[in-house]
Amino acid sequence: MRLPFLTEIKFLRTKDKIRFPFGRVLSLGIFCLFLMILPAGAEELKPADLHFKEGPLSRETSEKQTVSPQTKGLPANHHVREDVRKLEYPETTGRIPSLRIFFQGLPDVPYLGFITAQKLGYYKEAGLPEVQLLWMNESQDACELLMLGQADFVSAWMIEGYLACAGGQPIVAISQTAQRSSCGVCVRKIPGSEIQNIEQLDGKKIGIWCRKEGIPRFFFAHKQMHPEFIVQNSFSFFLMKKKVLDALFYTSYSAKTFAEIYKRRDMFTFFDFDTYGVNIPEDALFCRRSFIKRYPDIAEKFVRASWKGWKFVADNPQEAIQMLREQRIRFSLSADSVQLRKQLQVWMDILMLDANLDQNGHCSKDGFAQMRTGLIKNGTLHKDAPHYEDFFYNILDPKDRIRIKK
């Protein structure tokens, strides 16, 4: 669409004179100047601030890294150089000036508890330093930020954090938010060539999300199927319509709710992974092992205040949705309250919030065992990969807090 004042610049000829359109050129100049000064006036946490310089764990250098013997089958971005593995969290004297938490994505329903906790001052009430909620796009690696010293906590999927830990990164999970899987793949119903069952996707093209590809790869390896994965940065039904993809990886709180709200559910077939016996928990909180050993009280206060935020969301969904809409509008994201409210209803079933906040954050040992065993069985990890007790410490559990100090 062409803006009204950005018309084509032409030399307008009269009978014997040539008139230059100074007004139009001036409008174009003002518009360009506006674009140049816009970033300087943006608020804190603007998307431009989310990029970081390539460090020792970048994709470009990962192939040259020394590989841990227990992670021979890992993707290149999960390997860690020996010298990087020995890095410790920077020594801090006195009070920590701020806490930085990065999310593997932009403001969305799975992060609403953190947004409300900050908005309502729960972190401040807990006596924590300033808490910065920082957002990143799907092409960036949240766990890598811990290694680069750019984050104190990150929110990412359990399998991604575990693969990073198995690859030698000294990170641990300290709270599990998603208690069950919400993942699956969907296909578009096409007369004459409709895919009726999951087995028909063997050898087909499936779109998966960058940095959230661990679960779909795990699922199809578990099913002994070999589809062609196409990594993309966003979810789009359009790619199936154009037959670029045969199927799309999805989460139920996003794709299914979208299809239901816009009355397109009958256009797609959804295959939920948990109906095929794969139920790996998703979103979790991670930090460096050295951080939690030095500052266990800070980690505990942060996690407890975050769960208090989720309690507010459960009790006040309308007000919480409005807080999320404000964040999404800042990033020029869709902020449809009806869709967000439906997504929140689905997400709260995945969260399984307990009224007693100290009872939250546990990770299913059965789900973890399925993940670890499957990764070893399909050759991604070796049999000496980290066990549950070496990787997960629920910071709200007194017994796990004792284990942290050992």
Side-chain angles (χ1 to χ4, degrees):
M1 182 178 71
R2 197 170 65 183
L3 296 177
F5 56 89
L6 285 181
T7 54
E8 296 178 7
I9 299 176
K10 299 179 180 178
F11 286 97
L12 305 179
R13 181 177 296 275
T14 58
K15 291 183 177 180
D16 299 312
K17 298 180 181 180
I18 295 179
R19 179 166 54 88
F20 188 79
F22 291 101
R24 294 178 181 178
V25 174
L26 180 61
S27 297
L28 180 60
I30 293 174
F31 178 73
C32 293
L33 181 62
F34 171 76
L35 292 180
M36 293 173 62
I37 66 174
L38 180 61
E43 295 180 7
E44 185 183 2
L45 304 183
K46 55 185 180 296
D49 289 336
L50 308 184
H51 300 287
F52 58 94
K53 295 180 179 180
E54 295 291 344
L57 300 181
S58 65
R59 288 180 180 268
E60 288 75 8
T61 61
S62 59
E63 295 181 357
K64 301 178 181 179
Q65 298 169 358
T66 302
V67 179
S68 172
Q70 67 180 10
T71 58
K72 184 178 180 180
L74 280 179
N77 61 300
H78 287 292
H79 297 320
V80 182
R81 269 189 357 208
E82 296 294 337
D83 58 332
V84 175
R85 189 184 304 142
K86 297 176 183 178
L87 290 176
E88 291 295 332
Y89 197 87
E91 291 288 349
T92 305
T93 57
R95 183 179 176 85
I96 298 177
S98 64
L99 290 174
R100 299 156 297 173
I101 172 172
F102 271 87
F103 298 93
Q104 190 73 69
L106 297 176
D108 207 348
V109 168
Y111 315 128
L112 187 49
F114 303 95
I115 294 173
T116 55
Q118 186 192 52
K119 188 80 172 179
L120 298 174
Y122 291 163
Y123 295 130
K124 187 175 181 180
E125 289 178 7
L128 293 170
E130 177 192 6
V131 174
Q132 300 177 17
L133 306 186
L134 304 170
W135 312 95
M136 57 195 299
N137 60 49
E138 297 289 352
S139 65
Q140 295 171 319
D141 188 346
C143 295
E144 186 173 298
L145 294 183
L146 288 176
M147 292 300 299
L148 297 177
Q150 297 189 17
D152 300 301
F153 304 100
V154 297
S155 174
W157 281 8
M158 172 61 73
I159 192 170
E160 301 297 339
Y162 182 67
L163 287 173
C165 177
Q169 296 188 25
I171 69 174
V172 294
I174 60 173
S175 189
Q176 182 74 40
T177 48
Q179 294 299 312
R180 64 176 179 83
S181 174
S182 67
C183 297
V185 290
C186 65
V187 297
R188 188 178 178 88
K189 294 181 179 179
I190 303 176
S193 60
E194 186 174 332
I195 295 176
Q196 301 288 346
N197 55 66
I198 197 77
E199 286 74 17
Q200 290 178 275
L201 289 176
D202 195 12
K204 300 292 186 179
K205 294 181 179 180
I206 300 178
I208 59 177
W209 306 340
C210 185
R211 300 300 179 187
K212 289 189 175 180
E213 54 194 78
I215 289 181
R217 291 185 185 278
F218 176 92
F219 174 81
F220 286 101
H222 174 76
K223 296 284 292 181
Q224 297 184 342
M225 296 169 58
H226 304 87
E228 179 183 354
F229 294 111
I230 309 297
V231 179
Q232 54 189 27
N233 287 330
S234 62
F235 182 91
S236 176
F237 288 121
F238 180 76
L239 295 177
M240 284 195 294
K241 183 178 180 180
K242 290 296 183 181
K243 298 183 180 181
V244 176
L245 299 173
D246 299 298
L248 276 175
F249 173 64
Y250 72 86
T251 56
S252 58
Y253 56 84
S254 59
K256 280 188 174 181
T257 54
F258 175 86
E260 289 175 4
I261 290 173
Y262 295 98
K263 299 180 180 180
R264 297 179 180 178
R265 183 67 183 265
D266 59 343
M267 296 173 59
F268 303 94
T269 301
F270 294 91
F271 300 105
D272 295 332
F273 289 167
D274 59 355
T275 62
Y276 296 90
V278 175
N279 189 17
I280 298 176
E282 293 156 18
D283 296 68
L285 272 179
F286 302 92
C287 71
R288 287 180 61 88
R289 187 179 296 272
S290 54
F291 181 94
I292 198 174
K293 283 184 174 292
R294 285 199 188 104
Y295 311 112
D297 293 340
I298 290 179
E300 179 185 352
K301 290 178 180 178
F302 173 76
V303 171
R304 180 170 280 109
S306 300
W307 281 108
K308 186 177 178 180
W310 279 116
K311 180 66 167 56
F312 177 87
V313 172
D315 296 338
N316 307 273
Q318 292 289 90
E319 192 172 343
I321 287 295
Q322 183 56 35
M323 295 180 189
L324 177 57
R325 290 186 71 249
E326 293 172 0
Q327 287 282 339
R328 290 180 65 84
I329 290 172
R330 291 177 61 189
F331 285 85
S332 300
L333 301 172
S334 170
D336 183 280
S337 58
V338 176
Q339 182 175 345
L340 292 176
R341 187 161 56 248
K342 181 65 177 178
Q343 289 179 350
L344 181 59
Q345 292 174 356
V346 177
W347 177 254
M348 294 307 290
D349 291 336
I350 298 169
L351 190 72
M352 299 182 184
L353 181 69
D354 194 300
N356 182 353
L357 297 184
D358 287 347
Q359 296 301 314
N360 292 291
H362 291 280
C363 175
S364 167
K365 289 189 176 181
D366 291 338
F368 180 89
Q370 182 186 49
M371 175 182 68
R372 181 180 181 274
T373 303
L375 290 171
I376 294 173
K377 185 177 179 180
N378 65 33
T380 301
L381 299 179
H382 285 249
K383 61 181 181 180
D384 57 345
H387 291 271
Y388 179 92
E389 294 76 13
D390 303 320
F391 172 67
F392 189 85
Y393 300 83
N394 183 4
I395 195 66
L396 298 184
D397 189 326
K399 294 181 180 179
D400 281 2
R401 290 200 296 273
I402 293 175
R403 286 199 300 120
I404 290 170
K405 296 179 181 178
K406 293 182 180 180

